[in-house]
Amino acid sequence: MLLISCPWCGPRDETEYHYGGQAHVPYPETPADLDDRQWAEYVFYRDNPKGLFAERWMHGTGCRRWFNVLRDTVSYEVLAAYRPDAPPPELPDTRAEHGRAAMAGGNR
């Protein structure tokens, strides 16, 4: 099981959390101008990288707040957890490049 550290409550077992999909997906600037295809892309299409990925999680049995997690989808290692209003953390070594791409949505 994963040990995820909630920014407000601290480390907890993954069973206390709910997965919320890809992090850093901006809401459309002019939603009224989107056609059905564009809405479908916004709602359903997400990156699915092998490696580092920025995700949203909610601490369901704790503070019930949303936060972001940077996780390696191959090893399941949780590298960082941070508040949605905080900047993404700096990553050491070669993981930094992959992490920046994941947080920028650059793996489509």
Side-chain angles (χ1 to χ4, degrees), residues 25 35-46 108:
V25 177
D35 60 26
D36 289 343
R37 181 191 56 78
Q38 292 167 318
W39 267 115
E41 287 179 7
Y42 169 72
V43 173
F44 299 110
Y45 288 75
R46 294 293 183 256
R108 286 189 190 218

Side-chain angles (χ1 to χ4, degrees), residues 4-45:
I4 300 173
S5 186
C6 172
W8 293 275
C9 303
R12 302 289 195 275
D13 187 87
E14 72 176 298
T15 59
E16 292 192 15
Y17 299 97
H18 298 285
Y19 179 75
Q22 183 176 349
H24 309 289
V25 177
Y27 190 75
E29 290 183 27
T30 55
D33 294 341
L34 298 182
D35 60 26
D36 289 343
R37 181 191 56 78
Q38 292 167 318
W39 267 115
E41 287 179 7
Y42 169 72
V43 173
F44 299 110
Y45 288 75

Side-chain angles (χ1 to χ4, degrees), residues 52-69:
L52 296 182
F53 191 53
E55 305 169 329
R56 297 188 68 216
W57 288 78
M58 194 263 286
H59 194 179
T61 61
C63 62
R64 302 193 55 80
R65 294 184 186 181
W66 286 95
F67 60 96
N68 296 328
V69 168

Side-chain angles (χ1 to χ4, degrees), residues 62-82:
C63 62
R64 302 193 55 80
R65 294 184 186 181
W66 286 95
F67 60 96
N68 296 328
V69 168
L70 189 57
R71 183 176 66 88
D72 188 319
T73 61
V74 176
S75 68
Y76 296 101
E77 179 184 7
V78 174
L79 301 168
Y82 55 100

